[in-house]
Amino acid sequence: MSKLFITSEMADGSSGWSEKQTDGFSELMELLNIDVQEEELQGTPERDQAHCSKNVLRKQRHWQRQLAAKKSRRKEEKLRRKLNREAAPPQQSKRVMKAIRRERLAEARSSGLKVCVDLSMTHCMSDKEVSRLAAQLRRLYGSNKKALHPFHLFLTDLREDSRLLSECVRMNAGFLDYSMEITQQSCLDIFPAQSLVYLSPDAEQALDCVERDKVYVLGGLVDESVQKTLSLCRAKELGARVVRLPIDEYMQKKHNGKNFHSKILAINQVVDIMLTLCDTGSWAHALSKWFPQGKGYVVAPHYQDSISPDPPHAVSTSGK
């Protein structure tokens, strides 16, 4: 009985110890499981962060290389501009340039070549053509204002109640303050007929040279309907000598897909050609520079050698 009791007691004790041991082991496993989960949870963001950090570093290195390249280019460009400024003559301020241009225009009024735009034919034009003529007058004045040797410009037969004057004032800021003569009179009322040289594309005789004692008259006409000989008839009405630009003498037709060739120029293009002619003395250079390529003409090959990229600025009365 005593042995059995001991055995039972030991058994009971052993059972209790096993239960305690099992409970402890379970608690230990739970703790280990928690630690493992925490490590796993803590380890994933670290790996992601490490992976992201590599991408960020790579992008930063790429950005730094780009930034360094930009800085290097800016430095080179700054050095290039500095060298160009040192090599080029000093540039004048806009205020100084405006003053110089005003002086040139004032001088042109007393000694400049006289160029007159005859605006007596505006009644033959549509509203669209009148608007285009107003734009050409603005460009003409702009070219003359910037020229080294500007012309003394006259706008004749410009009526106060005309569509053209209204359009010029509407389109061109400060039009009435332009440094040129604007009058309702005819060019024949201002100049003697023998001094007038009327430029018309329909004339037979070519203009050979520019003479200082002559007044060169341009027909202020935008003619989309191509009313031939209109400016020629006006020149004969005035009793003026009629000439054309020497396009046939210095230029030749070039092949184009539309087989289009025209000698009709806007009045501002004619003025550009004449300004360059007076500066260089070269018809070939003036026509090469200002005759529109779309018109289907180029300077003839035997005149190409006379075209200088930077011709001397010298007023000349010779057209050769």
Side-chain angles (χ1 to χ4, degrees):
M1 291 293 293
S2 177
K3 185 176 182 180
L4 180 60
F5 174 76
I6 294 171
T7 302
S8 299
E9 188 176 332
M10 290 178 64
D12 292 342
S14 176
S15 175
W17 180 83
S18 298
E19 290 177 0
K20 290 180 181 180
Q21 188 177 21
T22 303
D23 292 341
F25 181 75
S26 299
E27 291 177 0
L28 180 60
M29 290 300 296
E30 289 177 0
L31 290 173
L32 290 174
N33 187 38
I34 291 171
D35 292 340
V36 170
Q37 290 178 351
E38 288 180 352
E39 289 179 0
E40 290 179 353
L41 292 173
Q42 292 175 358
T44 302
E46 289 178 359
R47 286 195 298 270
D48 293 341
Q49 186 176 4
H51 181 69
C52 292
S53 297
K54 290 180 181 179
N55 289 335
V56 170
L57 289 173
R58 185 174 64 253
K59 291 179 180 179
Q60 286 180 346
R61 287 193 296 269
H62 178 68
W63 178 79
Q64 288 172 354
R65 286 194 297 268
Q66 285 186 326
L67 185 62
K70 287 181 180 179
K71 287 182 178 179
S72 178
R73 287 195 296 268
R74 283 197 296 267
K75 187 175 180 180
E76 291 175 359
E77 179 66 17
K78 186 176 180 180
L79 180 60
R80 185 185 65 81
R81 290 178 180 176
K82 181 180 178 181
L83 294 175
N84 288 342
R85 284 195 300 269
E86 292 174 354
Q91 293 184 352
Q92 296 168 324
S93 66
K94 290 183 179 180
R95 180 178 297 180
V96 173
M97 286 303 302
K98 286 182 179 179
I100 292 174
R101 287 170 181 170
R102 283 196 298 268
E103 290 178 3
R104 288 174 179 171
L105 289 172
E107 185 179 353
R109 288 195 168 198
S110 60
S111 60
L113 182 71
K114 295 179 177 63
V115 174
C116 174
V117 182
D118 176 19
L119 300 172
S120 63
M121 295 173 282
T122 54
H123 63 280
C124 301
M125 295 186 288
S126 65
D127 290 341
K128 180 181 177 181
E129 291 169 340
V130 168
S131 180
R132 290 184 59 189
L133 178 57
Q136 291 179 16
L137 290 174
R138 180 183 67 246
R139 298 189 191 102
L140 180 154
Y141 179 72
S143 295
N144 192 60
K145 182 175 65 174
K146 296 175 182 177
L148 184 62
H149 303 287
F151 297 151
H152 186 186
L153 294 178
F154 294 81
L155 302 185
T156 59
D157 284 285
L158 185 56
R159 308 294 179 182
E160 289 184 358
D161 59 347
S162 65
R163 293 177 298 162
L164 178 59
L165 181 58
S166 299
E167 195 69 2
C168 286
V169 172
R170 183 187 70 83
M171 293 179 60
N172 310 326
F175 175 79
L176 297 177
D177 296 325
Y178 282 2
S179 184
M180 58 184 177
E181 314 296 340
I182 301 176
T183 177
Q184 298 185 68
Q185 293 181 299
S186 166
C187 54
L188 198 58
D189 297 330
I190 305 173
F191 308 106
Q194 62 269 22
S195 67
L196 300 180
V197 179
Y198 208 108
L199 274 75
S200 169
D202 302 310
E204 294 181 1
Q205 182 183 0
L207 178 63
D208 181 39
C209 61
V210 174
E211 301 173 73
R212 288 289 171 182
D213 59 343
K214 299 296 184 182
V215 179
Y216 293 88
V217 185
L218 312 180
L221 179 66
V222 175
D223 183 15
E224 294 183 346
S225 59
V226 191
Q227 302 177 50
K228 287 186 176 297
T229 71
L230 194 59
S231 60
L232 182 61
C233 292
R234 173 60 176 165
K236 290 180 178 179
E237 179 185 331
L238 294 171
R241 175 189 167 203
V242 191
V243 297
R244 56 176 172 79
L245 295 179
I247 298 171
D248 292 334
E249 287 71 17
Y250 286 88
M251 308 190 79
Q252 65 182 24
K253 292 181 180 180
K254 69 174 182 179
H255 176 73
N256 58 66
K258 297 181 180 180
N259 194 27
F260 174 76
H261 303 89
S262 174
K263 304 173 188 175
I264 308 300
L265 300 176
I267 56 173
N268 58 291
Q269 294 169 343
V270 175
V271 167
D272 284 331
I273 290 172
M274 293 188 66
L275 284 169
T276 303
L277 171 69
C278 290
D279 278 350
T280 65
S282 170
W283 275 114
H285 179 81
L287 291 168
S288 174
K289 184 175 182 180
W290 295 111
F291 198 94
Q293 294 183 1
K295 295 287 185 178
Y297 283 85
V298 292
V299 173
H302 52 280
Y303 286 113
Q304 290 289 340
D305 294 339
S306 63
I307 300 175
S308 172
D310 296 304
H313 292 285
V315 178
S316 173
T317 57
S318 174
K320 294 297 184 181

